Amino acid sequence: MSIPKSVLIVGGSSQIGLAIAKECSAAGAVVSVISRQAKPELLAPKTAPLYWFQDAEQSEESCKQQVDLALEQQPETIFICNGVLHNDEGMPEKNLLQLKSQLLEKRFHSNVTVPALYLQALYRYLTKKQNIKVLVLSAKVGSISDNKLGGWYSYRMTKAALNMLIKNLSIEIGRVNKSACLVTLHPGTTATPLSEPFQKNLPEGQLQTPHQTAIRLLKVSENLKPEQNGQLLNWDATKIPF
Ligand SMILES: NC(=O)c1ccc[n+]([C@@H]2O[C@H](COP(=O)([O-])OP(=O)(O)OC[C@H]3O[C@@H](n4cnc5c(N)ncnc54)[C@H](OP(=O)(O)O)[C@@H]3O)[C@@H](O)[C@H]2O)c1
């Protein structure tokens, strides 16, 4: 597999993001990470420089500041990993009666607003950088046409909105940079804190380790073409209908 020379990972403390960072770093790529968290000790650079930019604030200004620093490494591929399904503030809703407006707003912020702010800060770069690839981690449950089970209102609605954000931006960037490719990507069920409460009844073989998922997603990114700009892709690069 060929790994890009320079990779930027936003939301890089995500278990999937960290696994992508480790894989790229081990292959000699320059890795830049933006995260709310401080750099973990275990991620000490091995073969190539690893730049870690902490952005606890995630305001328009701080996103721009950290992105400007990260862009000094001229990334060829950008992963955006932010996404919250559950946390101390609440679990996904089983039905509409469980929906809380404050929690829905928080999920919208972490799952849509934060990726949008980083993309806004990246905007000029995306219009100019030849063959730039942007892979934004979404979820199959954000596909409206694929929804057969219902539930998980906040997560489904915010991932559907994220898919629209990327579709919209892909059109805008594609007008001025024909070589760009921006996609949303379902990583597949992966053993991370996000999926932890829901891992019990999965069919055998469905749950991937973060390392396995990182390899799959890097293969998707390796083969990504501008013709796929704006699509929602599965972990095996097949197209998921919106
Ligand atoms: N694991 C799965 O089975 C699975 C399945 C489908 C889709 N996904 C998607 O894959 C992506 C990575 O998930 P993961 O499984 O690696 O999850 P994870 O380890 O729980 O990572 C959580 C991610 O969300 C960000 N985040 C957490 N709280 C936030 C907040 N309040 N505001 C903004 N960002 C916040 C973190 O960014 P910081 O680095 O800034 O903390 C980190 O990137 C997510 O978008 C998720 O929806 C995962």
Side-chain angles (χ1 to χ4, degrees):
M1 183 170 55
S2 106
I3 301 277
K5 286 195 189 73
S6 179
V7 183
L8 168 61
I9 302 166
V10 178
S13 80
S14 118
Q15 293 300 303
I16 296 174
L18 278 178
I20 296 172
K22 281 184 201 161
E23 197 56 36
C24 292
S25 187
V30 175
V31 176
S32 311
V33 173
I34 301 177
S35 172
R36 297 168 311 147
Q37 317 296 334
K39 180 180 174 182
E41 287 302 321
L42 54 112
L43 211 68
K46 301 243 165 29
T47 48
L50 191 146
Y51 301 92
W52 189 282
F53 305 102
Q54 190 173 6
D55 179 14
E57 204 179 307
Q58 296 188 319
S59 63
E60 282 169 39
E61 295 72 29
S62 71
C63 289
K64 171 110 183 47
Q65 232 167 32
Q66 301 312 319
V67 162
D68 284 350
L69 291 171
L71 288 183
E72 287 175 14
Q73 303 309 318
Q74 295 282 304
E76 297 151 27
T77 302
I78 300 171
F79 286 92
I80 299 185
C81 300
N82 303 79
V84 180
L85 171 61
H86 63 90
N87 56 14
D88 296 349
E89 294 169 319
M91 293 300 286
E93 310 85 357
K94 290 189 176 137
N95 57 53
L96 190 61
L97 298 179
Q98 294 180 350
L99 188 90
K100 299 265 189 300
S101 64
Q102 269 193 350
L103 196 64
L104 173 59
E105 279 166 25
K106 285 186 175 171
R107 295 292 181 258
F108 195 89
H109 183 79
S110 56
N111 298 357
V112 186
T113 310
V114 167
L117 290 181
Y118 283 115
L119 286 161
Q120 188 179 55
L122 286 161
Y123 189 94
R124 285 170 62 80
Y125 186 75
L126 301 183
T127 61
K128 291 194 185 120
K129 177 77 175 169
Q130 284 304 293
N131 303 312
I132 184 72
K133 296 174 181 179
V134 181
L135 299 97
V136 182
L137 298 198
S138 183
K140 200 173 173 194
V141 297
S143 158
I144 293 171
S145 52
D146 188 72
N147 187 358
K148 312 264 183 323
L149 285 176
W152 289 17
Y153 278 87
S154 299
Y155 189 67
R156 283 186 188 272
M157 290 193 288
T158 55
K159 288 297 192 183
L162 177 72
N163 296 342
M164 180 59 90
L165 162 69
I166 302 309
K167 175 71 190 175
N168 245 23
L169 184 61
S170 73
I171 294 169
E172 207 166 312
I173 299 294
R175 283 194 190 115
V176 287
N177 182 355
K178 306 274 180 242
S179 68
C181 186
L182 289 77
V183 294
T184 33
L185 182 58
H186 171 62
T189 314
T190 309
T192 69
L194 182 141
S195 68
E196 203 273 327
F198 312 101
Q199 292 171 5
K200 279 188 201 101
N201 298 319
L202 290 173
E204 210 183 314
Q206 186 173 326
L207 190 66
Q208 300 291 300
T209 64
H211 174 72
Q212 287 169 320
T213 294
I215 301 286
R216 285 174 162 186
L217 303 191
L218 284 165
K219 277 191 191 142
V220 175
S221 109
E222 181 184 13
N223 297 314
L224 212 54
K225 301 274 175 313
E227 301 83 77
Q228 293 164 292
N229 193 27
Q231 293 182 358
L232 166 62
L233 299 178
N234 208 346
W235 56 265
D236 59 0
T238 54
K239 197 172 158 183
I240 302 174
F242 286 114

